[in-house]
């Protein structure tokens, strides 16, 4: 894929996929269709597939959907500028479909709640229709911790795949949570009626060197402030307790689930070593950059996009039973992300 940055460790991130106990020959000669291919998780996912293809001569074909037209100097990669909310078709056989396109940060939720629903739901529907056409293909939905809502009961080990917390559906901020829930139901419905093979990855909050400049999540803002040498701004008391995952670890989990995930099952993707409060997260980033944490009140538009969940920890024992492990805890991931972003200035 196109070069992401100059830091040598990004290549280490991508090559960490080899730590998975997977027979990559199961990808040989296959064609992938990936939405959100240039996003925070889509970027390392594609880079891992490129790496595997070149290391093992897998003869892959990658069809990558993005908002803007791009070009690649690799013959096996084709970019398509496509709004996934609109019906479309792809010529030729598709073996694996990954739906990773979504509005994923607070300002998008607050300013474009309708579009957030459309991207998730219509995008899933349109890609599932392509899966229906390609009998025997596998569909991977990239879902989210946000489907669980707020843990108000104090689950000892966090949300398991069959647990759910409190979520008020009558709020515009629920555009993301509820539409992701509907995406999962769409998968189950297509499976029951159309015999689609699917698997779901419920990612916790993600970060890493491929975060986008317009990403307004709290952690992303902390990181960008640190890169600019500005104090870390915390816009709440910081008591929110969440699970986090480094982007390349999340991408590796998606590849594992494509090969080993049980059909019709959802899998949490998180690491207990990266469960942390928002205040502790801000302090970790400040220490790494010799900065301070300061408090400020958010604007009304920004506040509308904030998650209402105060506790959202994921239990990842199910995917770990398949052999997946995170390579980078929150401290190591933050250091790597900051080093990469600073080297890219």
């Amino acid at each position: 894929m196109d070069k992401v940055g100059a830091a040598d460790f990004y290549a280490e991130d991508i090559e960490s996929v080899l730590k998975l106990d997977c027979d990559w020959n199961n990808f040989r000669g296959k064609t992938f269709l990936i939405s959100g291919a240039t996003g925070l998780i889509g970027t390392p996912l594609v880079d891992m597939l490129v790496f595997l293809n070149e290391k093992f001569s897998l003869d892959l074909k990658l069809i990558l959907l993005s908002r803007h037209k791009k070009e690649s100097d690799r013959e096996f990669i084709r970019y398509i500028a496509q709004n996934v909310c609109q019906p479309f078709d792809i010529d030729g056989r598709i073996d694996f479909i990954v739906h990773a396109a979504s509005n994923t940060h607070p300002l998008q939720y607050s300013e474009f709640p309708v579009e957030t629903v459309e991207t998730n739901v219509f995008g899933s529907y349109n890609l599932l229709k392509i899966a229906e056409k390609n009998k025997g293909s596998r569909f991977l939905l990239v879902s989210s911790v946000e489907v669980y809502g707020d843990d108000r009961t104090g689950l000892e080990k966090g949300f398991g795949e069959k647990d759910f917390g409190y979520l008020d559906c009558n709020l515009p901020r629920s555009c993301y949570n509820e539409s992701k829930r509907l995406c999962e139901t769409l998968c189950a419905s297509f499976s029951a009626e159309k015999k689609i093979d699917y698997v779901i990855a419920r990612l916790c909050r993600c970060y890493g060197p491929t975060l986008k400049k317009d990403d307004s999540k709290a952690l992303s803002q902390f990181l960008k402030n640190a890169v600019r040498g500005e104090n870390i701004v915390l816009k709440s008391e910081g008591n929110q307790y969440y699970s986090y995952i480094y982007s390349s670890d999340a991408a590796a989990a998606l590849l594992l689930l494509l090969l080993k995930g049980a059909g019709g099952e959802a899998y949490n993707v998180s690491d207990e070593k990266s469960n942390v409060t928002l205040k502790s997260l801000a302090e970790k980033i400040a220490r790494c950059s010799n900065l301070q944490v300061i408090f400020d009140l958010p604007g009304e538009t920004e506040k509308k996009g904030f998650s209402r969940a105060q506790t959202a920890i994921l239990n990842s024992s199910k995917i770990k039973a398949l052999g997946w492990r995170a390579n980078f805890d929150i401290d190591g991931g933050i250091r790597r992300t900051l080093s990469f972003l600073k080297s890219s200035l």
Side-chain angles (χ1 to χ4, degrees), residues 211-215 220-228:
L211 70 86
K212 300 304 175 183
K213 292 181 179 180
D214 64 346
D215 193 322
S220 300
Q221 294 188 59
F222 296 166
L223 291 166
K224 287 185 284 188
N225 277 24
V227 169
R228 293 191 295 262

Side-chain angles (χ1 to χ4, degrees), residues 169-185:
C169 63
N170 192 28
L171 292 171
R173 174 55 178 82
S174 297
C175 62
Y176 184 75
N177 315 60
E178 291 289 3
S179 60
K180 280 294 189 183
R181 283 183 169 185
L182 182 53
C183 291
E184 295 195 13
T185 304

